[in-house]
Amino acid sequence: MEPITWHDFEKVELRVGTILEVADFPEARKPAYKVKVDFGELGTKWSSAQITKHYTKEELVGKQIMGVVNFPKKQIANFMSEFLVTGLADENGDIVLTTIDKPVPNGSKLI
């Protein structure tokens, strides 16, 4: 593991957002959803998320998640991902979302 400085950490914009909409993403190589997230003053952004093993589309709407919002946009199949959804792999390698246990304002930065 390579150590980083506090200044390096401050460059990463890890922000809280609320999932507004979830759509299937059949064009993705691995099973994924398209998620639309409200990041408050930063606006709404779309991303691809490989979270189909643990979550249904219906249960995701309204959930607050953490995302990295200052990566460049990335094309995934025919879709432009505007932020990185964060999560952790379970024992099978399936992604469990990084979520918030108490509501905070959308756009709040991890400190």
Side-chain angles (χ1 to χ4, degrees), residues 2-14 68 70-71 109:
E2 181 182 342
I4 64 170
T5 66
W6 182 256
H7 180 70
D8 292 332
F9 176 71
E10 287 181 316
K11 291 179 186 177
V12 181
E13 291 287 330
L14 274 161
V68 178
N70 64 329
F71 278 136
K109 185 176 179 181

Side-chain angles (χ1 to χ4, degrees), residues 31-91:
Y33 295 131
K34 295 177 187 177
V35 294
K36 181 179 182 181
V37 177
D38 177 1
F39 285 104
E41 292 182 4
L42 300 172
T44 58
K45 298 179 182 292
W46 283 91
S47 186
S48 170
Q50 296 173 0
I51 54 175
T52 59
K53 294 286 185 182
H54 288 294
Y55 306 96
T56 65
K57 292 183 291 188
E58 296 76 21
E59 73 182 297
L60 287 168
V61 174
K63 187 178 288 291
Q64 281 196 301
I65 62 168
M66 292 293 305
V68 178
V69 297
N70 64 329
F71 278 136
K73 292 180 182 178
K74 181 177 181 180
Q75 184 163 356
I76 302 169
N78 60 346
F79 175 75
M80 289 302 286
S81 183
E82 300 175 296
F83 73 97
L84 174 70
V85 175
T86 62
L88 303 158
D90 68 9
E91 63 277 355

Side-chain angles (χ1 to χ4, degrees), residues 86-98:
T86 62
L88 303 158
D90 68 9
E91 63 277 355
N92 299 313
D94 298 319
I95 302 302
V96 176
L97 286 170
T98 307

